[in-house]
Amino acid sequence: GPSAAATCVGAVLLTISLVLIHSWTHNCTGAPALVGLKLADGHQHSMKSSGSNCGRSQSGIRRKFTSISSLDAVGMLLETGEWAYLDIRRRDEQHAVGIPALPDYGEGFHTVTSHKPSFDGYMTFDSDAWLDEVQRIFPDLQQKLIVGCAAGVRSKVAAQVLEDAGYTEVMELDDGFYGWCESGLPVARP
């Protein structure tokens, strides 16, 4: 069978593909978009999404979060301690490759998984439920947040949800945790 590394890379590429397909096909009527993806190995993968705001605030004006590199993020996280790192990956992803190692001072590291597998085999992002969980941890809409995932795809969707909810200090880790690792930044095991 395939190596563990090949399986991990395949899972990341599948997740990226599904999120991109969601971004391209999600309708703005509030009805879930349902997308199927058939891989060369014959496996069928699908994704269903809920949520209807399509990245628009209540005023109808789309705001844009700021994407930053891992090298920029580490400075913000280590120097001031004012920024919290919000990892939206699943726990199994974190256990497979690690998490950013952050100092004990400051706002620290938090996990709220965004895209989750459901009982029917679909990857889902219930933005309302996810936002509720984030708001329990960070009730202050001015909290400084850096949102990260594996490769910088899911974090863009999540950062837009945060901005649409009124969070004013949102940065998104453009190169994701893989960029963090490739930059030689500190990694810890959860």
Side-chain angles (χ1 to χ4, degrees), residues 89-136:
R89 295 177 297 153
R90 296 182 319 273
R91 298 276 184 194
D92 61 316
E93 292 178 274
Q94 294 174 343
H95 286 284
V97 293
I99 61 172
L102 300 177
D104 292 335
Y105 64 86
E107 295 298 321
F109 177 89
H110 304 270
T111 299
V112 180
T113 301
S114 61
H115 296 72
K116 300 177 182 180
S118 67
F119 69 93
D120 57 3
Y122 295 101
M123 289 298 288
T124 61
F125 179 32
D126 182 342
S127 59
D128 293 334
W130 179 79
L131 183 59
D132 286 345
E133 195 172 338
V134 171
Q135 288 173 330
R136 281 193 293 278

Side-chain angles (χ1 to χ4, degrees), residues 1-13:
S3 71
T7 302
C8 184
V9 168
V12 168
L13 291 176

Side-chain angles (χ1 to χ4, degrees), residues 5-82:
T7 302
C8 184
V9 168
V12 168
L13 291 176
L14 173 62
T15 301
I16 291 169
S17 299
L18 291 175
V19 171
L20 288 174
I21 290 169
H22 163 69
S23 299
W24 295 327
T25 61
H26 185 72
N27 61 40
C28 292
T29 63
L34 182 62
V35 177
L37 175 65
K38 186 148 188 155
L39 300 180
D41 65 5
H43 287 92
Q44 181 73 30
H45 298 278
S46 302
M47 184 172 88
K48 180 170 54 176
S49 179
S50 61
S52 61
N53 66 4
C54 289
R56 300 195 188 282
S57 66
Q58 290 179 346
S59 67
I61 298 169
R62 186 178 180 95
R63 290 179 285 167
K64 183 71 174 127
F65 52 85
T66 301
S67 292
I68 60 172
S69 72
S70 293
L71 291 174
D72 291 333
V74 74
M76 296 164 68
L77 290 163
L78 299 179
E79 288 174 16
T80 67
E82 295 176 355

